[in-house]
Amino acid sequence: MRGAAGAGQSIRPQRLRAVLQWAGALTRRLRREEDGQTLLLGVGLICVVLALLFVAASATAVYLDLKTLTSLADSAAAAGADGVDGNPYYEGEGIDGTDTVPGALTDAAVSTNAAADLSSQPAAARLEGITIVSARAANGRTAVVTLQARSRPPFLPWGIVPADGFTITATGSARMTTTQ
């Protein structure tokens, strides 16, 4: 028995030495493998920054499309309010022989003038699928025009986001005034 115990004690330092050598080799190997981690981190960071830039640019494109559509709606409403026929106003009789207020706006006049103004605007060509949702005379003196269009931002992944873009809507109003 004594021989077995003595043999066991002599193996321990060798085993400890082997474990320490293995741990040292593992530490050296991990240090060598760590060199590529910084490159991977840098590439990942660049991808995240680019994705944020593309999202910001796409949001800006939608915002600018909305501002363009709002400007077009305001212009169409102003044209609709300006489109009152002067003859009934100055002659003192109602439109179409009725007893409405002389020079009052009508839905048909607002719609016709708004469509004519919209077709003459060069900014309308930049927007996709622009339509007049409604063009009406709110109270005989105010023209209200609502436009709708599609906005397709340039940098969004169209496999994830709807491929037909976003629907944007803008309403413009203009009030007709008369001086006495």
Side-chain angles (χ1 to χ4, degrees):
M1 284 279 214
R2 198 174 251 226
Q9 287 176 356
S10 65
I11 293 177
R12 273 195 174 164
Q14 287 179 346
R15 183 166 186 142
L16 180 62
R17 212 174 287 126
V19 168
L20 289 176
Q21 286 176 349
W22 175 80
L26 179 64
T27 304
R28 285 190 297 276
R29 190 178 77 205
L30 288 177
R31 267 196 219 134
R32 281 192 310 264
E33 290 177 1
E34 210 172 86
D35 290 339
Q37 300 297 324
T38 306
L39 178 64
L40 183 62
L41 181 66
V43 169
L45 183 64
I46 288 172
C47 289
V48 167
V49 168
L50 284 176
L52 288 175
L53 285 174
F54 288 155
V55 167
S58 296
T60 302
V62 171
Y63 177 75
L64 291 176
D65 286 347
L66 180 62
K67 285 300 181 185
T68 300
L69 190 66
T70 303
S71 174
L72 290 172
D74 287 340
S75 176
D82 192 37
V84 68
D85 186 17
N87 289 334
Y89 182 77
Y90 292 113
E91 292 174 2
E93 61 187 52
I95 299 171
D96 299 332
T98 62
D99 52 342
T100 58
V101 178
L105 292 173
T106 63
D107 290 347
V110 171
S111 180
T112 302
N113 291 330
D117 181 70
L118 188 60
S119 65
S120 69
Q121 294 289 337
R126 291 188 315 193
L127 293 175
E128 181 182 325
I130 187 167
T131 58
I132 297 176
V133 174
S134 71
R136 61 185 176 85
N139 57 5
R141 301 190 79 148
T142 304
V144 179
V145 178
T146 302
L147 301 178
Q148 188 175 33
R150 290 250 173 234
S151 179
R152 287 185 47 101
F155 298 114
L156 290 183
W158 293 111
I160 299 169
V161 179
D164 55 349
F166 302 102
T167 302
I168 53 175
T169 305
T171 301
S173 63
R175 185 169 183 84
M176 177 185 72
T177 58
T178 57
T179 57
Q180 304 230 3

